[in-house]
Amino acid sequence: MISTSEGLKFSSLADLDNQLAVISDESQYGHYNLKGLKGEFMAMASRCEFLARPKQAASKAQGDKTGRERITQAFGSAMAEVKRIEAKYNRYSESSVLTQINRGAGDWQAIDEETLGLLRFAEHCYRLSQGCFDVTAEPVLALWPFGAGENATPPSNSQVEAALECVGFERLIIEERCLFLPYGMGIDLGGIAKEYAADRAIEVLRRELPEYDLLVNLGGDMIASPGCERPWQIGIEDPHKLDTPTRVVTLKSGALATSGHSRRYLLHQGKRYGHIIDPGTGYPIIGAPLSVSVFAPQCVVAGMLATLAMLQGEEAETFLTKQGAVHHIIRD
């Protein structure tokens, strides 16, 4: 394995035998046993990886030093793009564009084309879900200390009620390059940014490595380059036995994203609270599956549908069937 100063680690796929990549909403990962190169790094609070495998026509270059250097450079470029998006839309960062937008609530603000595109997509999600997917739920999300340990305490009813007064996508005013976010409101793009970053990363890799089969894996959100000669073998994690696949699927093109709460939740006085919050009530959704995995042409679409299905609770399967989405759902 080779490490770089930027935090990207490389290993040869030929050296990693008989292991399987297991994906979940926030999974740990195995390895692939096909020849090529894998790069690993941390981003968006997740373990991430890029994989490149020579197509048959380019197989003679598998051991070529120049080929390895090209892959290394391409992986670095794709990682930089992921890190750029993370830095720009991380609501926990004091210097992020998203934090600046939230701080500017109450005034008109200029936004760039990329941010406008994400907000327009968020608006589409909001309407498709009839208000269940709402990026303005940030005031409510900020109340819930998921991942803080068993001593964490859920917010009070009065805290939730006060926060709900500052939620509602329909209250935003979005113009061509301007946004008005009412005072007290906030935006969280956590349900979109990682999937968007995966789509951007595969674009970078496809441009720089057209003769390779490629796979991007950002914390369980995956996308493969179009028309891979050999499908990637993906294990969907068993929520009842973490890091163990409950089902193996193949991905030859397009994306696979998983949403769930098997790893991220709050345990208080024996009660378990999943991290998927209903923006209408301010509390975790009732009757949600443990995990939902969805196939789609783009990762941002797969992630959106997986999250929307979780927000449907008991109706998750019905929702995805109506959308015509190929999916895999795991319940208790």
Side-chain angles (χ1 to χ4, degrees):
M1 179 175 288
I2 301 172
S3 299
T4 70
S5 59
E6 292 81 13
L8 185 59
K9 299 179 180 180
F10 296 91
S11 54
S12 171
L13 301 189
D15 299 333
L16 307 170
D17 296 327
N18 302 318
Q19 298 187 63
L20 184 71
V22 181
I23 71 164
S24 72
D25 53 314
E26 293 181 35
S27 72
Q28 305 293 317
Y29 303 99
H31 300 291
Y32 296 78
N33 64 348
L34 298 173
K35 294 181 179 180
L37 193 67
K38 179 175 77 168
E40 299 175 287
F41 62 100
M42 291 296 299
M44 300 183 174
S46 302
R47 294 179 62 183
C48 306
E49 58 188 9
F50 301 144
L51 296 101
R53 189 178 59 199
K55 294 181 183 292
Q56 195 65 33
S59 59
K60 293 181 180 180
Q62 286 181 358
D64 182 74
K65 182 178 179 181
T66 302
R68 186 184 182 91
E69 289 175 348
R70 285 185 58 236
I71 296 174
T72 301
Q73 183 176 8
F75 280 8
S77 297
M79 183 183 71
E81 178 66 357
V82 172
K83 297 275 191 179
R84 179 191 69 80
I85 294 168
E86 177 183 30
K88 186 173 183 179
Y89 297 114
N90 181 1
R91 71 180 175 94
Y92 299 104
S93 170
E94 292 295 315
S95 59
S96 74
V97 168
L98 188 60
T99 295
Q100 299 306 313
I101 289 174
N102 288 340
R103 283 178 177 168
D107 294 315
W108 279 96
Q109 304 179 61
I111 55 175
D112 61 23
E113 195 68 29
E114 184 174 47
T115 302
L116 174 64
L118 288 175
L119 289 176
R120 290 299 187 195
F121 182 75
E123 182 177 19
H124 172 71
C125 297
Y126 178 76
R127 302 196 185 289
L128 178 63
S129 67
Q130 297 181 325
C132 289
F133 188 107
D134 192 339
V135 297
T136 72
E138 189 274 337
V140 172
L141 299 178
L143 296 176
W144 289 87
F146 296 112
E150 294 188 10
N151 293 325
T153 303
S156 65
N157 289 340
S158 60
Q159 287 177 307
V160 171
E161 289 174 5
L164 286 174
E165 294 294 322
C166 300
V167 175
F169 193 95
E170 72 282 354
R171 297 169 63 189
L172 301 186
I173 303 175
I174 304 172
E175 297 188 352
E176 193 57 32
R177 298 294 289 269
C178 293
L179 167 71
F180 182 79
L181 178 66
Y183 182 77
M185 293 184 66
I187 294 173
D188 178 4
L189 294 176
I192 297 175
K194 184 150 64 75
E195 294 83 357
Y196 171 66
D199 288 336
R200 292 288 300 138
I202 199 70
E203 288 181 20
V204 172
L205 294 178
R206 287 181 60 195
R207 183 173 63 248
E208 299 193 20
L209 301 170
E211 72 275 32
Y212 286 81
D213 287 343
L214 303 162
L215 183 72
V216 167
N217 178 358
L218 302 187
D221 293 326
M222 297 193 170
I223 183 165
S225 53
C228 290
E229 289 187 349
R230 291 168 292 174
W232 300 97
Q233 298 292 111
I234 309 297
I236 297 177
E237 185 182 58
D238 185 349
H240 303 288
K241 192 175 181 182
L242 301 183
D243 301 323
T244 302
T246 184
R247 179 182 178 185
V248 177
V249 299
T250 60
L251 189 64
K252 196 170 183 178
S253 182
L256 174 64
T258 297
S259 179
H261 55 83
S262 59
R263 289 178 179 271
R264 193 163 175 238
Y265 55 88
L266 172 63
L267 189 62
H268 179 69
Q269 296 181 348
K271 185 174 181 179
R272 189 178 186 277
Y273 298 86
H275 83 284
I276 308 295
I277 300 295
D278 182 345
T281 66
Y283 287 90
I285 198 76
I286 297 174
L290 287 178
S291 77
V292 177
S293 300
V294 179
F295 293 86
Q298 293 86 34
C299 200
V300 72
V301 174
M304 171 196 68
L305 290 173
T307 301
L308 293 190
M310 290 290 293
L311 289 166
Q312 301 301 312
E314 297 288 353
E315 300 301 316
E317 291 89 345
T318 301
F319 170 79
L320 289 174
T321 299
K322 287 182 178 179
Q323 298 301 319
V326 178
H327 61 275
H328 180 66
I329 291 180
I330 302 174
R331 289 192 175 275
D332 293 328

